[in-house]
């Protein structure tokens, strides 16, 4: 990657300008998964106050416990997103709330370790469309993150 050849000081300055925005993919340790582990998270929405973000997880397999939930597993290909280690699946059945400052802090600590890139606007729209019809999403959570 081109960024590998930049001086550390320049990389640090660039990291300070990157914050978690809609479509960004971050990779960091999640305590609310079973078992807790490092996960790719896609930022789908930011609350009006700017303190919370809504994310969906990327999983390496498309397993879901019911056929209904299987319909919300969106394939994402490693050939289209070089930061992925494997062809994977986005679970677009539920939005998980996170503190935006926590993710921004991770990115600023090490942009290369935590910030992986962006997904396409078409994929964002597909995820939002699924979240908009998922029975796992409350109307309040949909409204909070602008998912119709």
């Amino acid at each position: 990657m081109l960024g590998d050849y930049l001086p550390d000081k320049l990389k640090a300055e660039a990291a300070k300008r990157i914050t978690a925005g809609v479509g960004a993919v971050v990779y960091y340790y999640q305590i609310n998964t079973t078992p807790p582990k490092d996960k790719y998270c896609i930022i789908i929405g930011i609350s009006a106050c700017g303190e919370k973000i809504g994310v969906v997880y990327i999983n390496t397999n498309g397993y879901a416990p019911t056929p209904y939930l299987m319909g919300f597993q969106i394939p994402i290909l490693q050939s289209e997103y070089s930061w992925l280690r494997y062809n994977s699946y986005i679970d677009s059945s539920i939005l998980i709330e996170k503190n935006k400052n926590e993710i921004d802090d991770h990115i600023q600590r090490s942009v290369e370790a935590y910030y992986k890139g962006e997904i396409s606007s078409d994929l964002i729209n597909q995820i939002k469309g699924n979240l908009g019809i998922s029975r796992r999403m409350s109307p309040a959570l949909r409204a909070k993150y602008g998912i119709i």
Side-chain angles (χ1 to χ4, degrees), residues 41-52:
C41 303
I42 302 171
I43 299 169
I44 299 301
I46 301 173
S47 66
C49 68
E51 294 177 3
K52 298 282 187 180

Side-chain angles (χ1 to χ4, degrees), residues 5-65:
Y5 300 101
L6 294 175
D8 288 341
K9 184 177 179 182
L10 190 57
K11 285 189 229 179
E13 288 300 316
K16 289 178 185 172
R17 291 189 298 273
I18 295 174
T19 61
V22 173
V25 178
V26 292
Y27 183 75
Y28 73 106
Y29 192 75
Q30 302 296 309
I31 60 171
N32 63 334
T33 60
T34 305
K37 59 186 157 277
D38 287 327
K39 300 266 310 167
Y40 289 103
C41 303
I42 302 171
I43 299 169
I44 299 301
I46 301 173
S47 66
C49 68
E51 294 177 3
K52 298 282 187 180
I53 60 172
V55 304
V56 293
Y57 289 143
I58 298 176
N59 299 310
T60 53
N61 64 44
Y63 170 78

Side-chain angles (χ1 to χ4, degrees), residues 47-89:
S47 66
C49 68
E51 294 177 3
K52 298 282 187 180
I53 60 172
V55 304
V56 293
Y57 289 143
I58 298 176
N59 299 310
T60 53
N61 64 44
Y63 170 78
T66 68
Y68 172 78
L69 293 176
M70 279 299 296
F72 290 91
Q73 305 304 305
I74 302 172
I76 182 168
L77 303 177
Q78 193 272 334
S79 62
E80 294 178 17
Y81 296 98
S82 61
W83 39 263
L84 271 178
R85 294 186 190 137
Y86 316 98
N87 289 338
S88 300
Y89 297 85

Side-chain angles (χ1 to χ4, degrees), residues 91-102:
D91 180 358
S92 63
S93 69
I94 189 71
L95 198 68
I96 296 103
E97 278 195 301
K98 302 282 183 185
N99 290 321
K100 187 174 185 301
N101 287 343
E102 176 185 332

